[in-house]
Amino acid sequence: MASKFTELAIDCADPVSLAQFWCAVLGYQVLDEEDGFVTIGSPSVPEGRDRPGPVPPTLGFARVPEGKTIKNRLHIDVNPTDRDQDEEVRRLLDLGARYADVGQGDVSWVTLADPEGNEFCVLATRCP
């Protein structure tokens, strides 16, 4: 059996507020919060990594002293499930995201940054 992707760790200055942003983006909930580290995950699969087979990954936000300085080498792509891309982008901007230019040019996705500047993309397709 191969490994499965269960979590993504994100360094940040304010784990609580960044976790709240991503909970609102993904419909996740806080699973654990302690000592500068917050873990969020899908409420529909609370057993997470203990479940056999694929699971929605959790996101872990760790407080670090240094700030973000360059473009992310790894980023999250999100797919709107119940609205079109433009409506989802407006919703995410209202939550605190902002447009980001990473030299993407004319593409079908929209590049945004979360409140701490981490880039992510909103894809044009709708996946359930």
Side-chain angles (χ1 to χ4, degrees), residues 1-83:
M1 177 171 195
S3 294
K4 64 181 178 179
F5 175 41
T6 58
E7 53 200 278
L8 177 65
I10 301 169
D11 292 347
C12 59
D14 185 350
V16 172
S17 68
L18 199 55
Q20 290 171 346
F21 170 81
W22 281 103
C23 279
V25 170
L26 299 171
Y28 274 22
Q29 63 188 22
V30 173
L31 301 176
D32 190 35
E33 181 178 341
E34 62 179 64
D35 219 20
F37 193 83
V38 179
T39 302
I40 67 172
S42 172
S44 60
V45 188
E47 67 274 21
R49 84 178 82 171
D50 297 328
R51 178 178 181 205
V55 296
T58 60
L59 301 180
F61 300 91
R63 179 176 288 115
V64 297
E66 66 276 358
K68 180 180 178 302
T69 57
I70 58 172
K71 177 185 172 289
N72 295 358
R73 293 194 59 167
L74 176 72
H75 69 267
I76 297 171
D77 287 347
V78 297
N79 282 284
T81 58
D82 61 351
R83 59 187 59 101

Side-chain angles (χ1 to χ4, degrees), residues 108-125:
S108 63
W109 60 86
V110 176
T111 305
L112 299 176
D114 71 17
E116 290 206 15
N118 300 301
E119 299 91 3
F120 67 100
C121 295
V122 182
L123 305 182
T125 57

Side-chain angles (χ1 to χ4, degrees), residues 90-101:
R90 279 192 299 277
R91 183 181 82 87
L92 299 176
L93 292 170
D94 288 345
L95 290 173
R98 61 184 184 279
Y99 287 104
D101 183 354

